[in-house]
Amino acid sequence: MYKIYKFGGASLRNASGFRNVASILDKNRDQNILLIISALGKTTNELEEVVNRYFFRKGNAARYLEKIKQDHYQILRDLFQDQNQNVFNEVNNAFVEIDWILEDEPHDSYDYLYDQIVSIGEMASSKMVAAYLNQCSMPAAWVDVRDCIRTDNNYREGRVDWEITEGNIIKNIPPLSGNQFVVTQGFIGGSAENFTTTLGREGSDYSAAIFGYALNAGSVTIWKDVEGVLTADPKYFPDAGIISRLSYYEAMEMAYYGASVIHPKTIKPLQNKKIPLWVRGFHTPEKEGTLITEAGEITYPPVIVLKHNQILLSFYPKDFSFIAEDNLSHIFIILSGQRIKVNLMQNSALSFSICTDLTEKVAPAIAELKNSFAVLTNEDLELLTIRHYTQDLINRYSEEKEILLEQRSRQTVQFVMKKQTKSERKPH
């Protein structure tokens, strides 16, 4: 029975990270393990910068790319004494695909170019992992995930064709398994026309779930730089604790509200086949971490999720008519067209408000909505969500804060508020 291990960029940001991956796998040589590999460190963000410099003609994209290449080559030099190893050429050839794109003026859509460029991060890192494992006498076969995961042409958030994908995985993976690890990429898919697509930011978790589903895996493990699922982000809430057990339902709720647990799409494929999901610490592999499964009644501690860089948009019909279903339908068609995720929404008789991440997609949506509505905006906001809240926690976070919008349900309370400084955030 297969186990799926996903290693994220934080696990692979330097040579010691690669050695740690090998150490974890060395203790599991007798297992049928498929590895899902993310781009190294902050490579995805850096390649996004290459895309922006190239597409918008702001800055030297080729020079910025060269820095990314050198970071990869430095890790290779740290891992391989023999620099004639083929992996040096393989990684170079991966980046050459970007060089070819940068030689021409941009003429394709931004989203298409994004997927062709940013996906190279996973292609390079996975080749490095496979080569290093082989050097460590831990046989590993590299697989191009584009031969497995089939998506449509919805670039930057490809929708998976499950029937074709499952068939591809069953065809391509088992023949390689047995006495070797199988290494492939997260975040990436391929269209029917053989164009590279991506599954959305942080999509490597979702990739792990796709392979787990298709292979009827015994478990999926997400290796992270924290020991498991935490009650809050320790960068902002130092007393955050580990949650040892979660239900699929609770994990989906936390992911929906923005907890940096796992990609929101990850849970459903695993829940469908009752495949356990582990979230474990890359630096503390001896600890069990968090187990996500079907579960009965579990008493959860308060969970705090803080989302930065938020914008509050309020829409008012220009003719002062009531906000009715046709207004809402029109608004959501435009938001969907720009692929804007609504983090919170609230309506009154004459207005409808949403809180969303402030991205490049928001401005065109506002421009289109202004044809039908008066639009008010508030930027530089934070969205604080408390699951399983207590009145004491509500009091701590609401007193002396400028709250623009509050929403409360049985289990969850949310505040849209002016950005806080770190010193203003009280421990929970």
Side-chain angles (χ1 to χ4, degrees):
M1 184 172 284
Y2 286 91
K3 290 185 176 180
I4 312 298
Y5 280 6
K6 178 259 176 173
F7 291 98
S11 305
L12 297 164
R13 63 176 176 261
N14 51 35
S16 64
F18 278 74
R19 296 185 184 106
N20 201 16
V21 168
S23 174
I24 290 171
L25 294 174
D26 189 44
K27 298 178 177 66
N28 294 275
R29 285 177 179 260
D30 59 337
Q31 304 289 324
N32 241 358
I33 294 178
L34 182 142
L35 280 67
I36 306 293
I37 303 298
S38 297
L40 309 185
K42 300 294 184 182
T43 299
T44 299
N45 292 338
E46 293 169 345
L47 289 173
E48 283 184 346
E49 178 64 19
V50 171
V51 177
N52 291 332
R53 290 186 178 208
Y54 170 64
F55 189 83
F56 298 111
R57 317 310 281 168
K58 294 181 179 179
N60 191 316
R63 186 179 302 160
Y64 196 85
L65 177 64
E66 187 59 32
K67 172 191 174 297
I68 301 170
K69 292 181 188 177
Q70 292 306 320
D71 290 342
H72 284 69
Y73 298 148
Q74 183 57 57
I75 292 176
L76 286 175
R77 287 190 290 270
D78 291 341
L79 293 173
F80 298 91
Q81 289 186 348
D82 178 7
Q83 295 186 24
N84 292 317
Q85 291 263 11
N86 193 46
V87 66
F88 285 84
N89 288 328
E90 290 179 344
V91 171
N92 180 69
N93 290 340
F95 283 112
V96 163
E97 294 186 33
I98 302 180
D99 291 330
W100 289 340
I101 294 173
L102 300 184
E103 286 174 1
D104 296 327
E105 292 292 315
H107 56 272
D108 292 301
S109 72
Y110 179 91
D111 288 352
Y112 171 82
L113 289 168
Y114 179 100
D115 280 4
Q116 311 319 301
I117 292 174
V118 174
S119 59
I120 296 301
E122 276 72 16
M123 301 303 289
S125 62
S126 60
K127 288 176 182 290
M128 294 166 69
V129 169
Y132 183 65
L133 292 177
N134 282 309
Q135 177 178 261
C136 296
S137 300
M138 301 170 67
W142 182 88
V143 173
D144 191 330
V145 75
R146 294 170 295 189
D147 295 330
C148 295
I149 295 180
R150 171 68 61 82
T151 75
D152 62 7
N153 291 322
N154 192 39
Y155 297 106
R156 295 186 68 187
E157 199 159 352
R159 290 181 282 262
V160 174
D161 184 319
W162 283 92
E163 183 177 353
I164 293 177
T165 295
E166 189 170 8
N168 287 344
I169 291 173
I170 292 171
K171 173 186 174 184
N172 291 322
I173 300 304
L176 297 173
S177 305
N179 297 319
Q180 60 183 348
F181 298 108
V182 179
V183 179
T184 192
Q185 307 80 46
F187 180 56
I188 304 172
S191 70
E193 299 83 5
N194 292 322
F195 293 124
T196 302
T197 58
T198 63
L199 306 178
R201 283 302 303 259
E202 311 301 329
S204 293
D205 292 350
Y206 185 34
S207 303
I210 294 168
F211 277 93
Y213 177 93
L215 294 168
N216 292 304
S219 64
V220 172
T221 302
I222 309 295
W223 294 93
K224 298 178 71 71
D225 56 352
V226 291
E227 292 180 4
V229 177
L230 302 177
T231 57
D233 187 334
K235 292 197 298 286
Y236 303 103
F237 305 95
D239 60 341
I242 301 259
I243 304 173
S244 62
R245 186 91 184 266
L246 281 172
S247 67
Y248 291 125
Y249 174 84
E250 185 63 25
M252 289 179 75
E253 288 283 344
M254 291 175 63
Y256 172 80
Y257 288 115
S260 56
V261 187
I262 45 175
H263 189 281
K265 294 180 181 177
T266 303
I267 295 296
K268 187 59 179 171
L270 302 180
Q271 182 186 29
N272 286 348
K273 291 196 174 180
K274 306 295 186 288
I275 297 171
L277 173 63
W278 290 93
V279 180
R280 299 180 63 185
F282 177 70
H283 298 292
T284 54
E286 71 282 358
K287 296 186 178 181
E288 286 196 345
T290 300
L291 174 62
I292 302 171
T293 60
E294 288 282 17
E297 290 296 320
I298 300 176
T299 301
Y300 296 107
V303 174
I304 298 177
V305 180
L306 184 64
K307 289 179 70 71
H308 305 280
N309 198 31
Q310 299 292 291
I311 182 170
L312 183 64
L313 306 174
S314 297
F315 311 108
Y316 302 82
K318 291 181 177 180
D319 61 359
F320 291 95
S321 61
F322 289 120
I323 287 284
E325 286 75 8
D326 56 342
N327 301 118
L328 296 175
S329 175
H330 182 54
I331 291 169
F332 276 102
I333 286 172
I334 293 173
L335 296 176
S336 176
Q338 293 293 337
R339 289 186 284 179
I340 291 174
K341 179 183 179 294
V342 176
N343 297 327
L344 178 149
M345 58 185 169
Q346 193 170 94
N347 69 290
S348 67
L350 297 174
S351 71
F352 179 68
S353 298
I354 68 165
C355 179
T356 185
D357 302 334
L358 181 54
T359 68
E360 76 281 355
K361 302 172 183 177
V362 171
I366 291 175
E368 193 172 353
L369 284 160
K370 280 185 174 180
N371 294 325
S372 305
F373 302 93
V375 182
L376 297 182
T377 64
N378 297 87
E379 299 183 18
D380 200 24
L381 304 179
E382 293 179 329
L383 174 61
L384 180 74
T385 302
I386 309 175
R387 288 277 294 165
H388 315 294
Y389 60 86
T390 63
Q391 189 58 48
D392 177 61
L393 281 176
I394 291 174
N395 293 340
R396 290 187 202 180
Y397 287 109
S398 61
E399 63 185 12
E400 300 179 5
K401 302 294 187 303
E402 185 176 352
I403 307 296
L404 280 70
L405 191 152
E406 176 182 344
Q407 194 168 98
R408 192 184 307 202
S409 66
R410 292 183 183 89
Q411 296 290 335
T412 306
V413 64
Q414 294 183 283
F415 300 107
V416 179
M417 57 192 186
K418 287 287 189 181
K419 186 176 179 180
Q420 296 177 301
T421 63
K422 250 187 183 181
S423 61
E424 291 177 309
R425 298 190 183 102
K426 300 180 180 180
H428 66 287

